[in-house]
Every structure is written in C-alpha cells, then in structure tokens.
Amino acid sequence: NKYSLKRKHYVYFAKERNTARLIHLIPLSAKSTRKTAYKRQNEATKYIIKFIDSSYLKIIRTHITMKLLLKIIILTGSFLSVESQQTCAAFTAAEASSALWSCDPSGRPYYYSDDQLNFDAARAACQALTPFNGKQFDIVVIETQAELDFIVADPAFTTNRRYIGLQAQAFSDPPVMCDYKWLNGAPVTLDFPFDNELPTNPDPVVPRCVFLDKRDPPSILQRRCTRLKRYICEVSAPYVSACEKVKTRFFQIDEGTEQLSFEDAQTACMENDANLITVKSLKENMCAFDKYVACESSIWLGLVSNLEKNKFHWIDNDISPYRNWCSGVSPAPGTEGCILLRFDNPSFTTTGCFELVEDCVTPQSFVCEANTLCDKNGFQTLTKVISKIIQGTKNDCKSCRH
C-alpha cells in the first residue's frame, strides 16, 4: 500500500495475491495532511473489500442459478426424449416384413433376413435398415450368454446358419478363437464350439467370417466372407473397453506365442524393462481379462509368495492390497509356489482370478507390464519407501530422539 498527493488525488493500490490490481481514486484537497491521507486510505480499503464481497456474492448466485437451470433443461430434455421413444413392438409392426423381426426381453429389435448375401453386402443391408430411435443397425454382436440363448431359441431364426458380426483380425495356423473379434471391437468371451477348418482358398490370409450354427450345441463356423448366407441384424452399440478406464502398460513379447517358466518369464520381461503383469485393482483386472481372455486360459501373475515374511507381495513391491483368489480364500501365508491369473474359471465372467500352483517350472503364457512410478499405486509405494527410509534414519540418530 502507498499513497500519493499528485494532481490532488489519493491513489490506492490493492493487490490480491499478486494476481490482480484494483485502483481507487479519492479526491484530496491541497491542504490535506498525511493523517487525512491515512483516513482516506482506510475508507478506500473498506470500499474495495465491500465491492469485492458483493461482486463475488453475485457471481456465486449467478453460478448456482445457471447450474439449476441447466439441470432443469437436461431433465426436461430426457423426459421428452423418453416420451418420444418408439417401442420395439411398434417399430417391428410398422416394418413391411414384420415376420422377420423379433424383440428381446429388454425391448431391442432383431432382424433375420431371408436374403443370401456375402458378408460385406449383408452388413451394408443391415446398416440400410430404418434406424430404431435414432440408432443404426449392424450385423449382430453377441457378447452375453443370455443374448446367445435368446437368438438360437428365437422362432424368427428359421435357418440353421447365419452370418454374425465376427471377423478374423489375425491369421494363426491353425486358426484359433483369439484370431477373431466382434465388429465393435469387443473380445470373444463366450465359449463357442469352434470349427477350425481353414477356408477352401490357397491364400492363407483370405478374409475369414463366421456363421452361427443354431443346432445344439450352438457353434461357430469360420468360412470365406464371400460365401452367400442369410444374416442377423441388431441395433449397433459401441463397445467400451475396460482398459479405457485405467492406464495400463500391459504387453506381450512375440505376440504372446512364447511360453516360459515363471522365472524365465520374469527374466524375459526384465530384459524389456518390465515385470510380470500385476493387477492391483478391479479395473486393472477387468482390463487384463478384456485383453487376454480370448487367447489365454491363464498367465503368470507377478504376485510372489514371500517365505521369509510369510505374505504375498507384488513383484514390483507395490503396496496394493488387491487380491482375487479363485477359491475366495487366500492361501496360507508363506505357502510355496507361484501365482496364475486364470481367465477360464466359470465363476468369474468379467475378471481373472488368482490361483496358487506348486509347479513354477512348467511353461505358461505370460504378459509383461512396463515399469513406472508415475501412477497412483507407484506414487503410494514410493511415498511408503521414502517414509521408511526417513523413519529408519531417525531411529539410527541418537540426537534425533531428543
């Protein structure tokens, strides 16, 4: 704060945390004394504080009012949108070939075409259907057992084999299920009987598509995408991967084709500046399941049984307490063996579970995780390590005890 008598005005500067400067001018007479200047300074201070308080209050009131209005608009729009939604029954009844349409228990329409087309033409035909409540159709993607059960039992499914939205993204020899992904990017999590016969084509990487055979048990047959077949359409829905909700650093060496013992797998990961995969939260577990369930039944997990301390700990020394044992109960602390992350346990449909095995030598598939201390768990671990070092230093320092 400072004052000035130049040009018969008192100039007052108020700095708010060095971010803003307010200037208030108060007229002064030529005969004003220093005492009068201080008095006017106090008046200016009170005025500015009052002005700031009233301005902030107006801003807060305006902000609250705008948020309330925005919520009202959103709720009103949602209500009107729900009111204007067409039911599945009304939608299918309005279609010319209503006998080819069906509605599942959730009110989602399915279309079973009588036309025989190749895969690309079938997909284009699905996308050309009239949208349902603004949502476009595509070849069916079957992600749950309940949906599969509904489709194969649907009376509108009149022929045994139809195209579904499953295509090869890789070309193993012989082909395996993890070569395939759904059109929306989702992994194949259903346990289909799989026909491994290669398409009758000399080109080993010819595009491969899939028919669903509804006969008991339902199975999938891989064939050339140029084959003419009937097809099933449904309202397309984007797939949201569990890995989008968590920052992961999972990767496989040589596209996951190599299987090693636990020790050799960890060595291979360390040579790539990584450790065996760790899953320290439900979200990370769901992500690992999402990425590897179609291709692996189990992988080595970077959870170590520490025989000296009688406890399990993560191989990168992270302190996360997350565990998901297949049996539901943790093995006895200090039990010898290595841990597998299993994806084939029927009791776990969205996550892998932990299983302690005595045999650490038999080769298993493995996934690596790049090293970093930049995530939340890494920061917690680093903080704990530093705290222990500081505490140990204090205990060793006699003068620190006083």
Side-chain angles (χ1 to χ4, degrees), residues 148-168:
L148 175 63
D149 293 342
F150 166 78
I151 289 174
V152 297
D154 196 337
F157 195 159
T158 55
T159 54
N160 287 331
R161 297 177 179 180
R162 289 177 180 265
Y163 272 125
I164 57 176
L166 202 57
Q167 271 193 311

Side-chain angles (χ1 to χ4, degrees), residues 88 91-104 108-116 126 129 137 150-151 154-159 162 230-234:
C88 179
F91 175 81
T92 56
E95 293 298 312
S97 52
S98 58
L100 302 177
W101 289 86
S102 185
C103 297
D104 72 358
R108 183 169 50 178
Y110 289 81
Y111 177 67
Y112 299 85
S113 173
D114 267 345
D115 297 328
Q116 296 195 47
C126 286
L129 292 171
F137 283 85
F150 166 78
I151 289 174
D154 196 337
F157 195 159
T158 55
T159 54
R162 289 177 180 265
R230 293 178 176 86
Y231 51 93
I232 309 172
C233 307
E234 70 168 349

Side-chain angles (χ1 to χ4, degrees), residues 10-14 22-26 37-52:
Y10 167 73
V11 186
Y12 175 78
F13 299 93
L22 300 175
I23 303 177
H24 188 70
L25 303 177
I26 301 177
Y38 279 123
K39 181 179 179 181
R40 295 293 176 85
Q41 176 181 335
N42 291 334
E43 292 176 0
T45 304
K46 291 177 181 179
Y47 171 80
I48 291 172
I49 292 174
K50 183 178 179 181
F51 172 78
I52 292 172

Side-chain angles (χ1 to χ4, degrees), residues 46-121:
K46 291 177 181 179
Y47 171 80
I48 291 172
I49 292 174
K50 183 178 179 181
F51 172 78
I52 292 172
D53 288 344
S54 62
S55 300
Y56 283 168
L57 187 59
K58 289 179 181 178
I59 292 171
I60 292 171
R61 285 176 178 171
T62 303
H63 179 67
I64 293 174
T65 303
M66 292 300 293
K67 285 185 69 176
L68 182 60
L69 287 173
L70 183 60
K71 287 183 178 180
I72 292 173
I73 292 170
I74 292 173
L75 290 174
T76 303
S78 299
F79 176 76
L80 293 175
S81 175
V82 170
E83 287 294 311
S84 62
Q85 293 285 311
Q86 190 177 18
T87 65
C88 179
F91 175 81
T92 56
E95 293 298 312
S97 52
S98 58
L100 302 177
W101 289 86
S102 185
C103 297
D104 72 358
S106 68
R108 183 169 50 178
Y110 289 81
Y111 177 67
Y112 299 85
S113 173
D114 267 345
D115 297 328
Q116 296 195 47
L117 303 173
N118 64 44
F119 183 85
D120 291 338

Side-chain angles (χ1 to χ4, degrees), residues 142 144-153 190 192 212 218:
I142 309 171
T144 66
Q145 186 63 44
E147 185 177 11
L148 175 63
D149 293 342
F150 166 78
I151 289 174
V152 297
L190 297 177
F192 287 109
L212 172 63

Side-chain angles (χ1 to χ4, degrees), residues 49-316:
I49 292 174
K50 183 178 179 181
F51 172 78
I52 292 172
D53 288 344
S54 62
S55 300
Y56 283 168
L57 187 59
K58 289 179 181 178
I59 292 171
I60 292 171
R61 285 176 178 171
T62 303
H63 179 67
I64 293 174
T65 303
M66 292 300 293
K67 285 185 69 176
L68 182 60
L69 287 173
L70 183 60
K71 287 183 178 180
I72 292 173
I73 292 170
I74 292 173
L75 290 174
T76 303
S78 299
F79 176 76
L80 293 175
S81 175
V82 170
E83 287 294 311
S84 62
Q85 293 285 311
Q86 190 177 18
T87 65
C88 179
F91 175 81
T92 56
E95 293 298 312
S97 52
S98 58
L100 302 177
W101 289 86
S102 185
C103 297
D104 72 358
S106 68
R108 183 169 50 178
Y110 289 81
Y111 177 67
Y112 299 85
S113 173
D114 267 345
D115 297 328
Q116 296 195 47
L117 303 173
N118 64 44
F119 183 85
D120 291 338
R123 188 177 189 191
C126 286
Q127 294 172 346
L129 292 171
T130 304
F132 174 64
N133 291 326
K135 297 178 180 178
Q136 190 180 38
F137 283 85
D138 207 336
I139 293 185
V140 66
V141 169
I142 309 171
E143 297 184 51
T144 66
Q145 186 63 44
E147 185 177 11
L148 175 63
D149 293 342
F150 166 78
I151 289 174
V152 297
D154 196 337
F157 195 159
T158 55
T159 54
N160 287 331
R161 297 177 179 180
R162 289 177 180 265
Y163 272 125
I164 57 176
L166 202 57
Q167 271 193 311
Q169 305 295 317
F171 301 93
S172 302
D173 188 13
V176 292
M177 179 61 80
C178 66
D179 288 345
Y180 287 83
K181 278 196 174 182
W182 295 106
L183 291 177
N184 64 355
V188 183
T189 57
L190 297 177
D191 187 17
F192 287 109
F194 183 58
D195 178 3
N196 280 332
E197 182 185 349
L198 283 166
T200 54
N201 191 301
D203 185 355
V205 294
V206 64
R208 301 171 189 168
C209 296
V210 165
F211 305 150
L212 172 63
D213 191 330
K214 64 176 287 187
R215 290 173 293 189
D216 191 28
S219 61
I220 59 174
L221 315 173
Q222 64 161 1
R223 296 293 186 267
R224 290 173 295 173
C225 298
T226 54
R227 293 278 294 271
L228 301 182
K229 278 289 177 183
R230 293 178 176 86
Y231 51 93
I232 309 172
C233 307
E234 70 168 349
V235 173
S236 61
Y239 172 70
V240 180
S241 170
C243 295
E244 293 183 14
K245 302 176 183 178
V246 60
K247 294 181 179 179
T248 61
R249 304 166 299 279
F250 305 152
F251 66 93
Q252 286 186 293
I253 301 172
D254 297 329
E255 299 181 354
T257 57
E258 190 174 16
Q259 292 188 330
L260 299 173
S261 68
F262 181 89
E263 185 176 347
D264 290 343
Q266 170 62 7
T267 300
C269 288
M270 291 177 66
E271 290 174 353
N272 288 270
D273 192 26
N275 287 304
L276 283 172
I277 184 175
T278 62
V279 288
K280 302 159 188 169
S281 68
L282 175 61
K283 289 182 178 180
E284 286 193 5
N285 197 344
M286 293 175 69
C287 174
F289 184 88
D290 227 19
K291 288 174 72 72
Y292 304 113
V293 63
C295 300
E296 309 292 354
S297 59
S298 62
I299 57 176
W300 288 123
L301 181 66
L303 187 63
V304 180
S305 178
N306 191 320
L307 301 180
E308 294 181 0
K309 297 184 179 180
N310 288 330
K311 68 176 185 179
F312 295 97
H313 70 86
W314 294 110
I315 202 164
D316 60 357

